[in-house]
Amino acid sequence: MEQPSDDKIPGNETDPPTSGGFMQFYGLYWNKEYVFTSDCLLPGLPVGWTGRGTRNIDRDTLWMNFWGQKGIYVLYNSDLTPVYTGQAGLVREKAKKKGGGRVLGERLAEHMRGKYRNGWSFFSWFGFLDCEEENRIKGKLKSTDVDDRRNVTWTFRGAGGHREAELNLLLDSFEAILIEAFVPRFNSRGGNLKDATYVDQFESIPRFMQKDDKVIL
């Protein structure tokens, strides 16, 4: 008797890959030790942005700041078990007068000070914002001034007011987020964020912060 293939077993159906929708950048399993709250700094190395011939280049010249991103994030304990998920940038009524919701870095800083601050060690994030300086710095990070890499301008580009298209993109985004963040055991594929840029964490103290060998986190 012929055995059914994995993709024919109920619950193992293979769906076509998704684009990631509104997703522009994402980082997986970052260490909270490298969230520098005093400098509003969340340094990461975006794949495809650092330029060619960077294997032997000082990595301190290749990071850019993702503190101001907006989107979804997940907190994990030391065993990489998800313990919390939240939104960064959600604008509530009280926030409208202040110019918008709290960005990714601000939300992480709150969790680092909150009552569950010792209950999480790592986090993943999924950002909806584009970089306004993309044409100027993409592929040129190693020659970009540190101040320009710190003070990145983030912006949201919707689908031109087409509600149905925007809804489809949002659904696409959230599906990809949940698959990548929680890795459900019955999903036969990954979240495939093919249109989003993966960002590797910069796991060091940026050189400009190293003053008299003292760093305030």
Side-chain angles (χ1 to χ4, degrees):
M1 181 176 179
E2 182 181 357
Q3 295 296 320
S5 60
D6 288 343
D7 61 352
K8 293 182 180 180
I9 298 175
N12 280 4
E13 295 84 357
T14 300
D15 299 321
T18 64
S19 68
F22 278 124
M23 211 67 53
Q24 302 301 327
F25 297 88
Y26 68 105
L28 300 177
Y29 310 114
W30 283 25
N31 192 323
K32 76 173 183 180
E33 291 185 11
Y34 301 104
V35 178
F36 304 103
T37 59
S38 62
D39 285 85
C40 297
L41 191 69
L42 192 61
L45 305 162
V47 172
W49 283 56
T50 54
R52 294 179 178 273
T54 58
R55 179 174 298 179
N56 298 317
I57 296 294
D58 183 1
R59 286 168 64 88
D60 192 85
T61 66
L62 301 177
W63 60 262
M64 59 186 287
N65 189 9
F66 290 87
W67 182 275
Q69 264 291 347
K70 295 182 178 181
I72 306 296
Y73 63 92
V74 181
L75 306 183
Y76 307 90
N77 63 17
S78 58
D79 296 322
L80 293 181
T81 300
V83 294
Y84 182 89
T85 184
Q87 295 191 45
L90 182 65
V91 179
R92 303 183 188 277
E93 287 299 321
K94 293 182 179 180
K96 289 182 179 179
K97 297 180 181 179
K98 299 181 180 179
R102 292 162 295 179
V103 297
L104 176 62
E106 292 171 329
R107 295 289 284 134
L108 292 172
E110 291 173 355
H111 290 298
M112 292 175 74
R113 297 189 300 265
K115 63 180 179 179
Y116 299 120
R117 60 187 177 276
N118 295 321
W120 64 284
S121 301
F122 305 95
F123 64 98
S124 294
W125 60 272
F126 307 84
F128 293 159
L129 303 188
D130 280 308
C131 174
E132 283 194 1
E133 297 86 359
E134 177 176 353
N135 292 334
R136 182 165 56 86
I137 68 175
K138 185 175 182 179
K140 306 172 185 176
L141 281 177
K142 62 184 178 181
S143 60
T144 301
D145 185 78
V146 63
D147 288 335
D148 291 334
R149 290 186 281 118
R150 287 180 63 189
N151 302 307
V152 180
T153 305
W154 300 104
T155 185
F156 178 74
R157 296 171 185 158
H162 300 290
R163 294 185 179 181
E164 184 176 355
E166 290 187 346
L167 175 60
N168 287 337
L169 283 171
L170 281 174
L171 291 173
D172 204 9
S173 297
F174 278 99
E175 179 194 33
I177 289 170
L178 293 175
I179 291 174
E180 290 288 355
F182 292 101
V183 197
R185 67 178 62 187
F186 295 122
N187 283 92
S188 59
R189 61 178 176 81
N192 194 11
L193 305 177
K194 66 178 182 180
D195 291 337
T197 299
Y198 174 72
V199 184
D200 193 13
Q201 187 176 25
F202 180 66
E203 296 179 330
S204 185
I205 299 173
R207 191 174 298 112
F208 80 92
M209 296 175 59
Q210 299 177 20
K211 302 173 182 177
D212 300 324
D213 296 325
K214 296 180 180 179
V215 177
I216 300 176
L217 303 183

